[in-house]
Amino acid sequence: MRDDQRVARLTKSLVDAFQSDGERYTVWDVDQKGFGVRIGPNAKTYLVRYRVGGGRTGTLKQLTIGRHGTLTPDEARKIAKAKLAEVAAGGDPQSAREKKRQEMTVAELCDDYLLRGIATKKASTLAIDKGRIERHIKPLLGRIKVNAVTRSTIEAFRDDIADGKTAVAPKPKGERKRTDGPVAGGKGTSTRTVGLLGGIFSYAVARGIMDTNPVRGVTRFADNSSTRFLSVEEYGRLGEALNTCTSDGYNEQALAIIRLLVLTGARKGEIEKLRWSEVDLSAGWLRLGDSKTGAKAVPVGSAVIDILSARKGSSAREGWVFPAETGEGYFVGTPRIWNIVRKRAGLPDVRLHDARHSHASLAAADGQSLQVIGAILGHKDVKTTSRYAHLADSPLRRAADRVSELADAAMRGGKG
């Protein structure tokens, strides 16, 4: 059957059922002339066909509307009607889009993405995305026209970030705002920023701004930043460093947050943003209203309860467990104190987030199932937790009880 003879009443269930045997074909809608869906091996794309310049003798043109899944048939049909009305008024939607495509820069695409393409993203994730766009994508690619971006452009972008071309040193303390901070480069930053850029270009393809995603097929650097676990001896050194920092009068809120991170395996933001309304001391739970993976409940032990109970009578402006020391909001000074703690502990390569990985590794070495570990950490997918599976039968198993004792004792101020 010829491509222009395939017709049906396009509904979501019908388009879902369409399959391709490797060849592309188009099914045209019986209700809206000129509106159809092209079925290919990898995508189903809505389009509208029309003529410009004289009815049947005019030039036949075809405009991509967007992909099935991003749009429903009804949504795509509505767009097709609007485009056909534009043609009836003497316009040419394809030429108008091509002109916009020729003129749009990567910076403008990023702005459009932040306006229309982030409806399902959490506020915390969106803040990270905005930072990567402003600090890496726009400085390196912002002025380039979207239609001029190629795979080689992306590969150069990847390497430039890895080489630190977008790294920025922190401002002097007196000039620094609360949101200011150093901009790091490196392979990990490169990999995550290229991933975001791939999502932005996927959005552009779905909206018909681009035909293909230039990030597809670009090799990224391996991100090995999540493999650092604390050893038994390192837990002991960390405990000693926390104790000496407490004795020396360093910020007690930051030190309490660090202790809680080691004892719970929670993310830094989950503890820094903790509210008293989310703390259930009697039952031993932190019932977080929001986290990276949504609402979750974190079980806690007696060491955590002791730390939180000790804070119960402290200042709690706006309900924060760790309120900002000046102004509104929550405390954000943990990283500065952590740098001091890890230096004293002789752990310069350990990040705050490594406390989370170490917590999971202890559980795996102790024989806990991946499902249990994932539930404690708040993972949505067991694949995320599977990185710890290799520890389950390791020699660490026999040391797990001792490590737990050391961690608990360190948070309490003893050596175990």
Side-chain angles (χ1 to χ4, degrees), residues 313-385:
S314 63
S315 174
R317 294 188 303 277
E318 301 179 31
W320 301 110
V321 176
F322 300 101
E325 297 184 334
T326 59
E328 300 178 350
Y330 56 89
F331 180 78
V332 294
T334 311
R336 182 177 66 84
I337 302 301
W338 170 248
N339 285 334
I340 296 170
V341 171
R342 69 178 179 177
K343 183 177 180 179
R344 290 193 174 193
L347 303 171
D349 64 324
V350 177
R351 307 164 305 154
L352 268 174
H353 198 68
D354 291 326
R356 179 171 170 83
H357 301 310
S358 297
H359 192 82
S361 74
L362 291 181
D366 196 39
Q368 300 296 330
S369 70
L370 294 183
Q371 288 77 11
V372 169
I373 299 171
I376 292 173
L377 297 182
H379 290 162
K380 281 188 174 181
D381 191 338
V382 72
K383 292 179 182 177
T384 307
T385 318

Side-chain angles (χ1 to χ4, degrees), residues 101-102 104-107 109-110 137 140-157 197-198 200-201 204 210-216 218:
R101 181 186 299 177
Q102 293 290 336
M104 178 177 272
T105 65
V106 172
L109 173 61
C110 289
I137 297 177
L140 292 175
L141 301 179
R143 296 183 179 181
I144 300 177
K145 302 293 185 183
V146 167
N147 68 328
V149 177
T150 64
R151 179 171 175 172
S152 62
T153 307
I154 303 301
E155 289 172 341
F157 171 78
L197 190 59
I200 293 171
F201 283 131
M210 301 179 72
D211 294 325
T212 59
N213 187 336
V215 175
R216 182 169 296 169
V218 172

